[in-house]
């Protein structure tokens, strides 16, 4: 099986968040399983020189973006058995940030057209293209409606992963002709229309062979008006091809036994190092060195999505308890300002660090006791996985990936890997925090057990990769596959796939053949 991942970001080259981490990890893991994997990315200006220098220029051609004729260079880099193809165009990608420009629609229209045309130029024709988020979600539509005449592309199947449904790529219908060079039939018949715009993500949901998201709960939640951001209707319609797979965690980077960011490493069987990490953290943060006061930590983007309006509402209340509060992150300037203000009032209890610092983040995951993550919605979330791995118990809003990965403390059975609240209000968040503080201070043995439970959870990519492989095989083998790949497959794949086709998809596939 031959795969091509398409994404706007990918660690270690450039990333702004969890999407970059996933694209940095999953292809690498698949390559370990002898799958042929490539990743296609824009060549962003921020790519570190060390990687830039290793790239080999393999092709140049031009791409029509509507009436424009744009240069497209292809740089290739082989790393960890994955081939990375970078789409080079200075006009579109030589910018300080990855996103946030007035012409993002045009930039990612170019990227998608270029990556499709690239496959032929570099002779990498995958069996499956795995698209990620709206930046690449028009690819299945384009393969169907614009490039269907290219014979070698006709058997390519597509998987679209939604990492965050809030960002959809909504543009006026004129971009169909102006950027993609296609007619507006699919806008007028409603297929890719949302309100009076075209919507990249909706197009992806309708045209991709499979749609998945990064946790089971989020896959369910986005089919409701509370979380679907307007796309709940189309997701209900296409639910037969919608699934959820929880992201993994890079166990090599996030390992308390070997993390070079830590002064003292530690493990499940020897937790002494964690105490030293706590002491070091208190020193760095200028807080009193106290083993008995739980450190409640936050490492996050400071946004409404992450629930910081709740935290700000309760922070002063929380600081009345015998606790320390440590925050690392940047985001909404109003949030940054309010946190800083409160820390000035409570210098001995509260340390606010408005910055981005990867090493400090690891020190916080290791040195803290409680990790607060009250996201309003959370497709998967990574920080709760890291904190559990470091024995720092998460307090989470039980939603999306947080619900699927953190088992809330059960005071009867004394089980769990963290604490949860299901109603998204400051009061319930505070109740969960109070429960955590109580167990930390008064039930030390139970706390230790919970730490051990958390640390022994398996959130490795190994497990998630197996689920992705099954997903790919469902569409690949259904459509023929290769004899050698077919040999060991259980018959269940074919049955599952047949049963879950939506009628609209059937129509699309029939047309394509
Ligand atoms: C987005 C989501 C986050 C998820 C990540 C990777 O950033 O907000 O929950 O973990 O994508 O899938």
């Amino acid at each position: 099986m031959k795969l091509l991942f398409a994404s706007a970001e990918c660690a270690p080259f450039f990333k702004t968040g969890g999407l970059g981490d996933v694209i940095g990890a999953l292809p690498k893991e698949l390559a370990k399983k002898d799958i042929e994997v490539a990743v296609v990315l824009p060549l962003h200006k921020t790519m570190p020189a060390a990687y830039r220098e290793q790239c080999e220029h393999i092709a140049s051609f031009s791409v029509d973006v509507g009436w424009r004729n744009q240069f497209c260079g292809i740089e290739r880099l082989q790393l960890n058995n994955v081939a990375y193809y970078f789409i080079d165009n200075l006009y579109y990608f030589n910018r300080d940030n990855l996103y946030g420009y007035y012409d993002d629609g045009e930039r990612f229209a170019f990227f998608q057209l270029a990556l499709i045309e690239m496959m032929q130029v570099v002779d990498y024709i995958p069996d499956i293209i795995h698209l990620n988020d709206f930046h690449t979600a028009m690819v299945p539509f384009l393969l169907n409606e614009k490039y269907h005449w290219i014979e070698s592309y006709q058997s390519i199947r597509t998987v679209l992963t939604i990492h965050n449904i809030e960002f959809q790529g909504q543009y006026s219908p004129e971009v169909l002709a102006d950027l993609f060079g296609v007619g507006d039939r699919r806008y007028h018949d409603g297929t890719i229309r949302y309100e009076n715009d075209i919507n990249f993500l909706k197009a992806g949901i309708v045209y991709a062979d499979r749609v998945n998201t990064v946790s089971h709960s989020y896959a369910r939640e986005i089919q409701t008006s509370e979380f679907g951001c307007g796309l709940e209707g189309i997701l209900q319609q296409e639910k037969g091809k919608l699934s959820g797979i929880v992201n993994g965690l890079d166990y090599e980077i996030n390992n308390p036994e070997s993390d070079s960011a830590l002064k003292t490493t530690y493990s499940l069987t020897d937790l002494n190092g964690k105490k030293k990490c706590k002491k070091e953290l208190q020193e760095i943060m200028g807080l009193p060195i106290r083993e008995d006061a739980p450190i409640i930590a936050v490492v996050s983007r400071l946004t409404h999505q992450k629930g910081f309006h709740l935290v700000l509402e309760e922070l002063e209340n929380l600081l009345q308890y015998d606790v320390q509060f440590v925050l690392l992150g940047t985001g909404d300037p109003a949030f940054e300002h309010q946190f800083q203000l409160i820390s000035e009032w409570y210098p001995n209890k509260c340390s606010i660090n408005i910055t981005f610092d990867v090493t400090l983040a690891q020190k916080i995951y290791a040195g803290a006791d409680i990790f607060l993550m009250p996201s309003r919605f959370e497709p998967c979330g990574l920080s709760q996985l890291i904190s559990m791995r470091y024995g720092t118990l998460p307090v989470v809003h039980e939603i999306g990936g947080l619900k699927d990965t953190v088992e809330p403390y059960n005071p009867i059975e004394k089980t769990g890997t963290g604490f949860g609240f299901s109603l998204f209000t400051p009061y319930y968040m505070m109740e969960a925090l109070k429960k955590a503080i109580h167990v930390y201070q008064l039930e030390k043995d139970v706390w230790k057990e919970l730490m051990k439970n958390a640390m022994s959870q398996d959130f490795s990519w190994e497990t998630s990769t197996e689920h992705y492989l099954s997903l790919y095989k469902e569409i690949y083998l259904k459509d023929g596959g290769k004899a050698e790949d077919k040999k060991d497959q259980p018959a269940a794949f074919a049955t599952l796939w047949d049963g879950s086709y939506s009628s609209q998809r059937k129509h699309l596939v029939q047309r394509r053949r």
Side-chain angles (χ1 to χ4, degrees), residues 9 16-23 132-133 161-165 167 213-215 218 245-248 301 305-306 373 375 377-385 401-402 461 468:
E9 54 180 272
T16 63
L19 168 63
D21 290 317
V22 173
I23 307 306
N132 293 274
D133 278 351
T161 294
I162 302 172
H163 296 263
N164 188 342
I165 205 164
F167 307 108
T213 181
V214 285
S215 66
Y218 194 60
I245 299 176
V246 170
N247 290 332
R301 272 185 299 123
Q305 183 210 323
K306 299 293 178 181
M373 207 165 163
S375 310
F377 68 93
E378 195 60 76
C380 176
L382 200 59
S383 302
Q384 84 279 17
L385 304 182
L402 299 176
W461 267 111
Y468 273 107

Side-chain angles (χ1 to χ4, degrees), residues 472-481 485-486 489 493:
Y472 300 143
K473 283 176 181 166
E474 282 170 23
I475 41 178
Y476 174 60
L477 296 170
K478 165 74 185 151
D479 286 334
D485 289 323
K486 257 185 148 169
Q489 289 315 309
F493 284 130

Side-chain angles (χ1 to χ4, degrees), residues 174-186:
E174 286 75 42
V175 307
L176 285 174
D178 186 57
L179 298 177
F180 293 106
V182 296
D184 54 8
R185 191 161 58 117
R186 295 294 168 209

